[in-house]
Amino acid sequence: MIKVNAIGDSCPIPVIKTKNAMKEMTGPDTIEVLVDNEIAVQNVTKMAQSSGGKVTSEKVAEKEYRILIAMGEACAAKDSEEVSCIPDKRGSTIVVVSSDRMGSGNDELGKVLMKGFLFAVTQLDELPKTMLFYNGGATLTTEGSDSLEDLKSLEAQGVEIMTCGTCLDYYGLKEKLAVGTVTNMYSIVETMDQATKVIRP
């Protein structure tokens, strides 16, 4: 694994450091990049994906984000690609998830659809500002959830992940929250009230 420490660096330095690490590769390898802000995560992710890398990211501490880039045999940084500092991808939309399944009918199908929905959110050109999880949706942010990788990637890119504390208590999952923070009903109502658009799967 090649390690790149870009904590404290402003754009475009994290991208340049990552590109240089790609050029030093002699075969398939993984690059670990550490940065301290969400915009750096977005910039490095965009460049790595355009170079053929498979990218995952997570927030590991306050102002510390870890990006893993898996590069294959034919992958390399593109010299002709212009290094640019993209703006914050988050809009003012919020996503409200009140169940661990999407739609009504077959429960197993509903769970598959919800997993697909959360992955699709990670692919949006403009990410939501906040994602709220309550009632059955609270189980999606806890240990064992099939969507944790997608939610951690969204959090690393600055999306606020908030889960209802009362709901976690009800399901006995308070100690198993694996992404985001615990919130309360007042905060949930306030967040929904201030949103310009609310998406409900």
Side-chain angles (χ1 to χ4, degrees):
M1 179 182 287
I2 301 172
K3 297 191 176 184
V4 176
N5 188 345
I7 290 178
D9 296 331
S10 56
C11 185
I13 303 302
V15 175
I16 292 172
K17 284 185 173 181
T18 305
K19 287 185 73 172
N20 289 339
M22 288 180 181
K23 292 175 183 177
E24 294 172 5
M25 293 173 56
T26 57
D29 206 343
T30 299
I31 301 172
E32 177 190 71
V33 185
L34 298 178
V35 296
D36 61 7
N37 63 87
E38 298 95 339
I39 304 305
V41 174
Q42 293 179 30
N43 283 307
V44 171
T45 297
K46 180 183 176 184
M47 184 278 295
Q49 288 178 336
S50 71
S51 297
K54 182 179 179 182
V55 185
T56 58
S57 57
E58 64 177 331
K59 184 175 183 179
V60 295
E62 188 65 29
K63 293 190 176 181
E64 184 174 341
Y65 303 85
R66 180 174 182 249
I67 309 163
L68 288 179
I69 307 167
M71 302 297 291
E73 194 79 55
C75 299
K78 298 178 182 177
D79 289 324
S80 60
E81 182 183 335
E82 182 180 346
V83 176
S84 60
C85 298
I86 63 175
D88 193 332
K89 288 177 65 178
R90 294 171 297 165
S92 55
T93 297
I94 69 165
V95 175
V96 177
V97 182
S98 60
S99 175
D100 64 346
R101 62 210 69 183
M102 187 174 182
S104 58
N106 184 278
D107 287 346
E108 287 305 312
L109 175 59
K111 289 181 179 181
V112 171
L113 293 176
M114 180 59 75
K115 187 178 188 307
F117 170 84
L118 294 176
F119 170 75
V121 173
T122 69
Q123 304 301 303
L124 292 174
D125 289 333
E126 183 178 88
L127 299 176
K129 180 180 181 181
T130 304
M131 296 184 73
L132 300 173
F133 294 83
Y134 56 80
N135 208 328
T139 62
L140 297 169
T141 60
T142 58
E143 295 174 11
S145 167
D146 290 337
S147 296
L148 280 183
E149 184 176 317
D150 291 331
L151 294 177
K152 286 181 178 180
S153 175
L154 287 165
E155 183 181 46
Q157 295 181 75
V159 177
E160 190 175 24
I161 309 294
M162 302 168 66
T163 305
C164 166
T166 301
C167 306
L168 290 171
D169 280 337
Y170 181 85
Y171 290 112
L173 296 171
K174 195 75 172 277
E175 304 303 317
K176 294 186 176 182
L177 184 67
V179 61
T181 59
V182 176
T183 189
N184 55 63
M185 189 53 65
Y186 177 80
S187 182
I188 289 173
V189 172
E190 185 178 50
T191 300
M192 293 173 68
D193 180 60
Q194 294 174 355
T196 57
K197 182 167 63 175
V198 177
I199 296 176
R200 301 171 187 268

